[in-house]
C-alpha cells in the first residue's frame, strides 16, 4: 500500500460490495504514505500551474483553459487531506474546500475561485483571470508547504 495510497483509500471508502466478503474492510493505508503522495502530487501540480502561467500570462484564454483543466485534479487531494486530518470529507466541493482551508489556514475564496472559473465557458477578462490564477497558485504553494511540514503520529 506504499504505492497509490490515495487511490486505495478512496477505493476503500467508496466501493460497493455486491456480494461476499468485503476485502477492503481490513485494508489499512498508512498515513505516512498518504502524506507523501499528497505532497508529491501537490508539488507536481504547483510546477504545472507555474509553467502554464509563464507560458500563458499574456493569453487569458490559455490561462482560463489551463486553470479549468488543472483545478479539477485537486478535489481528490483535498478530500484526502481531510481524511489525513482524521475526518470524513464533506460531500460538496465547496465544503471540502472550506474545510481544507480551515485546517491549513488558506484562503478558501482563492481556492474556490479556480473552480468558479472552471465552470465558466469563457474567461471573465484578462485581469480577473490572471488574479484568480495567481491567487490559486499562491494557495497551492502555501498548501504544499503546510503538507511538507505535517508530522504524523
Amino acid at each position: 500500500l506504499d504505492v497509490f495510497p490515495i487511490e486505495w483509500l478512496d477505493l476503500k471508502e467508496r466501493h460497493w460490495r455486491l456480494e461476499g466478503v468485503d476485502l477492503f474492510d481490513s485494508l489499512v493505508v498508512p498515513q505516512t504514505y498518504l502524506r507523501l503522495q499528497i505532497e508529491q502530487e501537490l508539488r507536481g501540480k504547483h510546477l504545472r500551474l507555474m509553467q502554464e502561467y509563464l507560458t500563458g500570462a499574456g493569453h487569458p484564454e490559455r490561462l482560463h483553459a489551463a486553470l479549468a483543466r488543472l483545478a479539477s485534479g485537486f478535489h481528490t487531494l483535498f478530500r484526502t487531506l481531510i481524511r489525513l486530518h482524521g475526518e470524513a470529507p464533506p460531500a460538496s466541493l465547496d465544503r471540502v474546500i472550506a474545510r481544507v482551508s480551515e485546517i491549513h489556514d488558506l484562503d478558501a475564496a482563492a481556492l474556490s475561485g479556480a473552480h468558479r472559473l472552471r465552470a465558466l465557458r469563457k474567461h471573465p477578462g484578462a485581469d480577473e483571470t490572471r488574479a484568480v490564477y495567481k491567487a490559486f497558485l499562491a494557495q497551492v504553494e502555501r498548501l504544499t508547504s503546510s503538507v511538507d511540514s505535517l508530522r504524523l503520529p
Side-chain angles (χ1 to χ4, degrees), residues 14 75 78-79 82 88-100 112 115:
R14 293 176 166 229
H75 189 205
F78 291 166
R79 290 174 49 80
I82 294 171
S92 80
L93 177 58
D94 289 336
R95 290 180 51 215
V96 166
I97 289 172
R99 187 64 190 124
V100 165
S112 295
H115 294 282

Side-chain angles (χ1 to χ4, degrees), residues 2 7 9 15 18 27 40 47 49 52 60 62-63 68 75 79 81 87 93 108 117 122 134-135 138 141 153:
D2 59 339
E7 290 78 2
L9 186 59
H15 79 282
L18 298 177
L27 184 72
Q40 177 185 10
L47 284 172
L49 283 164
E52 293 285 347
R62 284 174 51 188
L63 283 183
H75 189 205
R79 290 174 49 80
L81 281 168
E87 302 172 14
L93 177 58
L117 265 188
K122 188 177 179 190
K134 287 167 63 174
E141 185 173 5

Side-chain angles (χ1 to χ4, degrees), residues 35 39 42-43 142-151:
R35 191 204 68 74
E39 182 183 350
L42 282 172
R43 287 188 186 285
R142 288 185 62 202
L143 181 58
T144 303
S145 294
S146 179
V147 170
D148 182 44
S149 66
L150 278 178
R151 297 297 166 244

Side-chain angles (χ1 to χ4, degrees), residues 78 93-116 132 135-136 138-140 142:
F78 291 166
L93 177 58
D94 289 336
R95 290 180 51 215
V96 166
I97 289 172
R99 187 64 190 124
V100 165
S101 297
E102 290 170 7
I103 293 169
H104 295 279
D105 193 29
L106 303 171
D107 180 355
L111 290 177
S112 295
H115 294 282
R116 182 183 54 79
V132 169
F136 185 74
Q139 294 311 299
V140 171
R142 288 185 62 202

